[in-house]
Short mmCIF file of all heavy atoms in Angstrom, two decimals:
data_model
loop_
_atom_site.label_atom_id
_atom_site.label_comp_id
_atom_site.label_asym_id
_atom_site.label_seq_id
_atom_site.Cartn_x
_atom_site.Cartn_y
_atom_site.Cartn_z
N SER U 1 0.80 -1.27 0.02
CA SER U 1 0.00 0.03 0.01
C SER U 1 0.87 1.24 0.02
O SER U 1 0.40 2.31 -0.34
CB SER U 1 -0.94 0.02 1.23
OG SER U 1 -0.21 0.20 2.43
N ARG U 2 2.12 1.15 0.36
CA ARG U 2 3.12 2.27 0.35
C ARG U 2 3.17 2.89 -1.09
O ARG U 2 3.30 4.05 -1.27
CB ARG U 2 4.43 1.93 0.85
CG ARG U 2 4.49 1.53 2.36
CD ARG U 2 5.88 1.04 2.71
NE ARG U 2 5.97 0.66 4.10
CZ ARG U 2 6.39 1.45 5.07
NH1 ARG U 2 6.82 2.65 4.78
NH2 ARG U 2 6.42 1.07 6.31
N PHE U 3 3.21 1.98 -2.08
CA PHE U 3 3.28 2.48 -3.46
C PHE U 3 2.04 3.31 -3.86
O PHE U 3 2.24 4.35 -4.45
CB PHE U 3 3.39 1.25 -4.40
CG PHE U 3 4.66 0.49 -4.21
CD1 PHE U 3 4.66 -0.71 -3.48
CD2 PHE U 3 5.83 0.93 -4.78
CE1 PHE U 3 5.87 -1.43 -3.31
CE2 PHE U 3 6.99 0.21 -4.62
CZ PHE U 3 7.05 -0.97 -3.83
N TYR U 4 0.91 2.87 -3.38
CA TYR U 4 -0.37 3.61 -3.70
C TYR U 4 -0.36 4.95 -2.99
O TYR U 4 -0.56 6.04 -3.62
CB TYR U 4 -1.53 2.84 -3.38
CG TYR U 4 -2.81 3.57 -3.48
CD1 TYR U 4 -3.39 3.87 -4.66
CD2 TYR U 4 -3.46 4.07 -2.31
CE1 TYR U 4 -4.54 4.56 -4.81
CE2 TYR U 4 -4.65 4.81 -2.40
CZ TYR U 4 -5.19 5.08 -3.64
OH TYR U 4 -6.31 5.80 -3.76
N THR U 5 -0.07 4.97 -1.69
CA THR U 5 -0.17 6.21 -0.88
C THR U 5 0.88 7.21 -1.31
O THR U 5 0.64 8.40 -1.31
CB THR U 5 -0.05 5.92 0.58
OG1 THR U 5 1.14 5.19 0.87
CG2 THR U 5 -1.25 5.12 1.11
N THR U 6 2.17 6.67 -1.64
CA THR U 6 3.19 7.60 -2.01
C THR U 6 2.88 8.25 -3.41
O THR U 6 3.07 9.51 -3.54
CB THR U 6 4.56 6.94 -2.16
OG1 THR U 6 4.82 6.27 -0.92
CG2 THR U 6 5.73 7.86 -2.42
N ASN U 7 2.41 7.48 -4.35
CA ASN U 7 1.99 8.06 -5.59
C ASN U 7 0.80 9.01 -5.47
O ASN U 7 0.69 9.99 -6.16
CB ASN U 7 1.68 6.95 -6.61
CG ASN U 7 2.94 6.35 -7.31
OD1 ASN U 7 3.41 6.93 -8.25
ND2 ASN U 7 3.43 5.28 -6.74
N LEU U 8 -0.05 8.63 -4.57
CA LEU U 8 -1.27 9.49 -4.39
C LEU U 8 -0.89 10.85 -3.81
O LEU U 8 -1.33 11.85 -4.30
CB LEU U 8 -2.26 8.76 -3.33
CG LEU U 8 -3.51 9.55 -2.97
CD1 LEU U 8 -4.37 9.78 -4.16
CD2 LEU U 8 -4.24 8.78 -1.81
N GLY U 9 0.01 10.85 -2.88
CA GLY U 9 0.52 12.16 -2.30
C GLY U 9 1.20 12.93 -3.30
O GLY U 9 0.97 14.14 -3.40
N TYR U 10 2.06 12.32 -4.14
CA TYR U 10 2.77 13.03 -5.20
C TYR U 10 1.80 13.62 -6.23
O TYR U 10 1.95 14.78 -6.65
CB TYR U 10 3.73 12.11 -5.89
CG TYR U 10 4.51 12.68 -7.04
CD1 TYR U 10 5.48 13.70 -6.86
CD2 TYR U 10 4.18 12.34 -8.33
CE1 TYR U 10 6.11 14.25 -7.93
CE2 TYR U 10 4.84 12.87 -9.42
CZ TYR U 10 5.81 13.86 -9.24
OH TYR U 10 6.51 14.41 -10.32
N ASN U 11 0.86 12.83 -6.62
CA ASN U 11 -0.08 13.30 -7.70
C ASN U 11 -1.11 14.37 -7.18
O ASN U 11 -1.49 15.25 -7.94
CB ASN U 11 -0.89 12.10 -8.26
CG ASN U 11 0.03 11.16 -9.04
OD1 ASN U 11 0.95 11.60 -9.69
ND2 ASN U 11 -0.22 9.84 -9.01
N LEU U 12 -1.47 14.28 -5.90
CA LEU U 12 -2.39 15.29 -5.38
C LEU U 12 -1.67 16.59 -5.11
O LEU U 12 -2.23 17.66 -5.27
CB LEU U 12 -3.00 14.72 -4.11
CG LEU U 12 -4.10 13.65 -4.22
CD1 LEU U 12 -4.52 13.23 -2.81
CD2 LEU U 12 -5.26 14.17 -5.05
N GLY U 13 -0.45 16.48 -4.67
CA GLY U 13 0.30 17.72 -4.34
C GLY U 13 -0.43 18.53 -3.27
O GLY U 13 -1.01 18.00 -2.35
N VAL U 14 -0.41 19.80 -3.43
CA VAL U 14 -1.04 20.64 -2.44
C VAL U 14 -2.59 20.53 -2.43
O VAL U 14 -3.21 21.02 -1.49
CB VAL U 14 -0.65 22.16 -2.66
CG1 VAL U 14 0.78 22.36 -2.42
CG2 VAL U 14 -1.04 22.63 -4.09
N LYS U 15 -3.19 19.89 -3.42
CA LYS U 15 -4.61 19.75 -3.44
C LYS U 15 -5.09 18.81 -2.31
O LYS U 15 -6.23 18.82 -1.89
CB LYS U 15 -5.03 19.14 -4.78
CG LYS U 15 -4.84 20.10 -5.95
CD LYS U 15 -5.39 19.55 -7.26
CE LYS U 15 -4.61 18.30 -7.62
NZ LYS U 15 -5.13 17.77 -9.01
N ALA U 16 -4.16 18.01 -1.80
CA ALA U 16 -4.51 17.06 -0.70
C ALA U 16 -4.66 17.73 0.68
O ALA U 16 -5.30 17.13 1.56
CB ALA U 16 -3.50 15.92 -0.59
N ILE U 17 -4.06 18.89 0.80
CA ILE U 17 -4.06 19.56 2.15
C ILE U 17 -5.42 19.72 2.78
O ILE U 17 -5.71 19.36 3.89
CB ILE U 17 -3.26 20.82 2.08
CG1 ILE U 17 -1.76 20.53 1.64
CG2 ILE U 17 -3.25 21.57 3.37
CD1 ILE U 17 -1.00 21.72 1.18
N PRO U 18 -6.35 20.46 2.06
CA PRO U 18 -7.65 20.66 2.72
C PRO U 18 -8.42 19.33 2.95
O PRO U 18 -9.21 19.26 3.91
CB PRO U 18 -8.42 21.53 1.68
CG PRO U 18 -7.64 21.28 0.37
CD PRO U 18 -6.24 21.11 0.71
N ILE U 19 -8.17 18.31 2.14
CA ILE U 19 -8.82 17.00 2.30
C ILE U 19 -8.36 16.38 3.65
O ILE U 19 -9.17 15.90 4.41
CB ILE U 19 -8.61 16.04 1.13
CG1 ILE U 19 -9.13 16.68 -0.14
CG2 ILE U 19 -9.23 14.67 1.40
CD1 ILE U 19 -8.78 15.89 -1.36
N ILE U 20 -7.09 16.35 3.84
CA ILE U 20 -6.50 15.79 5.05
C ILE U 20 -7.00 16.49 6.31
O ILE U 20 -7.43 15.85 7.27
CB ILE U 20 -4.97 15.83 4.99
CG1 ILE U 20 -4.48 14.95 3.82
CG2 ILE U 20 -4.37 15.36 6.30
CD1 ILE U 20 -2.98 15.09 3.59
N LYS U 21 -6.92 17.83 6.23
CA LYS U 21 -7.29 18.61 7.40
C LYS U 21 -8.79 18.45 7.74
O LYS U 21 -9.22 18.38 8.88
CB LYS U 21 -7.02 20.10 7.19
CG LYS U 21 -5.53 20.43 7.28
CD LYS U 21 -5.29 21.92 7.14
CE LYS U 21 -3.82 22.17 7.30
NZ LYS U 21 -3.56 23.66 7.28
N ALA U 22 -9.63 18.30 6.70
CA ALA U 22 -11.10 18.20 6.87
C ALA U 22 -11.51 16.81 7.40
O ALA U 22 -12.48 16.67 8.18
CB ALA U 22 -11.88 18.52 5.62
N GLN U 23 -10.84 15.76 6.94
CA GLN U 23 -11.29 14.45 7.23
C GLN U 23 -10.51 13.60 8.31
O GLN U 23 -10.91 12.59 8.72
CB GLN U 23 -11.29 13.60 5.94
CG GLN U 23 -12.12 14.17 4.85
CD GLN U 23 -13.59 14.26 5.18
OE1 GLN U 23 -14.12 13.41 5.87
NE2 GLN U 23 -14.27 15.31 4.68
N SER U 24 -9.38 14.16 8.71
CA SER U 24 -8.37 13.46 9.64
C SER U 24 -9.12 13.09 10.90
O SER U 24 -9.01 11.95 11.44
CB SER U 24 -7.18 14.26 9.89
OG SER U 24 -7.49 15.49 10.48
N GLU U 25 -9.86 14.05 11.46
CA GLU U 25 -10.54 13.78 12.83
C GLU U 25 -11.61 12.79 12.62
O GLU U 25 -11.72 11.86 13.50
CB GLU U 25 -11.04 15.10 13.38
CG GLU U 25 -11.65 14.96 14.73
CD GLU U 25 -12.14 16.28 15.32
OE1 GLU U 25 -11.87 17.32 14.70
OE2 GLU U 25 -12.81 16.23 16.35
N LYS U 26 -12.40 12.83 11.58
CA LYS U 26 -13.51 11.90 11.40
C LYS U 26 -12.97 10.45 11.19
O LYS U 26 -13.43 9.51 11.75
CB LYS U 26 -14.38 12.31 10.21
CG LYS U 26 -15.12 13.64 10.43
CD LYS U 26 -15.88 13.97 9.21
CE LYS U 26 -16.71 15.29 9.37
NZ LYS U 26 -17.42 15.70 8.14
N ILE U 27 -11.99 10.34 10.28
CA ILE U 27 -11.41 9.06 9.96
C ILE U 27 -10.72 8.42 11.23
O ILE U 27 -10.89 7.24 11.51
CB ILE U 27 -10.35 9.16 8.83
CG1 ILE U 27 -11.07 9.59 7.59
CG2 ILE U 27 -9.62 7.78 8.64
CD1 ILE U 27 -10.04 9.89 6.38
N GLY U 28 -9.98 9.23 11.92
CA GLY U 28 -9.33 8.79 13.09
C GLY U 28 -10.29 8.28 14.20
O GLY U 28 -10.07 7.28 14.81
N LYS U 29 -11.32 9.08 14.39
CA LYS U 29 -12.30 8.73 15.43
C LYS U 29 -13.05 7.46 15.10
O LYS U 29 -13.18 6.58 15.96
CB LYS U 29 -13.26 9.88 15.65
CG LYS U 29 -14.27 9.60 16.77
CD LYS U 29 -15.16 10.83 17.02
CE LYS U 29 -16.12 10.60 18.14
NZ LYS U 29 -17.01 11.80 18.42
N ALA U 30 -13.48 7.36 13.86
CA ALA U 30 -14.23 6.10 13.44
C ALA U 30 -13.35 4.89 13.54
O ALA U 30 -13.80 3.82 14.05
CB ALA U 30 -14.63 6.28 11.99
N ALA U 31 -12.10 5.01 13.16
CA ALA U 31 -11.18 3.82 13.20
C ALA U 31 -10.92 3.46 14.67
O ALA U 31 -10.80 2.34 15.05
CB ALA U 31 -9.88 4.07 12.40
N SER U 32 -10.80 4.51 15.46
CA SER U 32 -10.46 4.25 16.92
C SER U 32 -11.59 3.56 17.56
O SER U 32 -11.42 2.60 18.38
CB SER U 32 -10.16 5.58 17.63
OG SER U 32 -8.98 6.12 17.11
N VAL U 33 -12.81 3.98 17.28
CA VAL U 33 -13.99 3.38 17.89
C VAL U 33 -14.09 1.89 17.47
O VAL U 33 -14.39 0.98 18.30
CB VAL U 33 -15.30 4.12 17.49
CG1 VAL U 33 -16.57 3.29 17.86
CG2 VAL U 33 -15.33 5.47 18.10
N LEU U 34 -13.92 1.59 16.21
CA LEU U 34 -13.93 0.22 15.72
C LEU U 34 -12.85 -0.60 16.43
O LEU U 34 -13.06 -1.74 16.84
CB LEU U 34 -13.77 0.19 14.22
CG LEU U 34 -13.70 -1.21 13.62
CD1 LEU U 34 -14.98 -2.01 13.90
CD2 LEU U 34 -13.48 -1.14 12.08
#
């Protein structure tokens, strides 16, 4: 999965920043509860 995530980060560039900031808390909380 490192290959996918590394290429994803490279291809998204700065466009990924608002996505990470907006969803990090929700994703982290849901995964933690599970």
Side-chain angles (χ1 to χ4, degrees):
S1 69
R2 292 174 182 265
F3 294 99
Y4 172 76
T5 55
T6 305
N7 278 277
L8 179 63
Y10 175 72
N11 292 325
L12 286 178
V14 293
K15 293 184 294 184
I17 297 166
I19 298 174
I20 295 172
K21 288 186 175 180
Q23 303 300 324
S24 62
E25 185 176 352
K26 294 180 182 178
I27 296 173
K29 184 176 182 180
S32 296
V33 170
L34 177 60

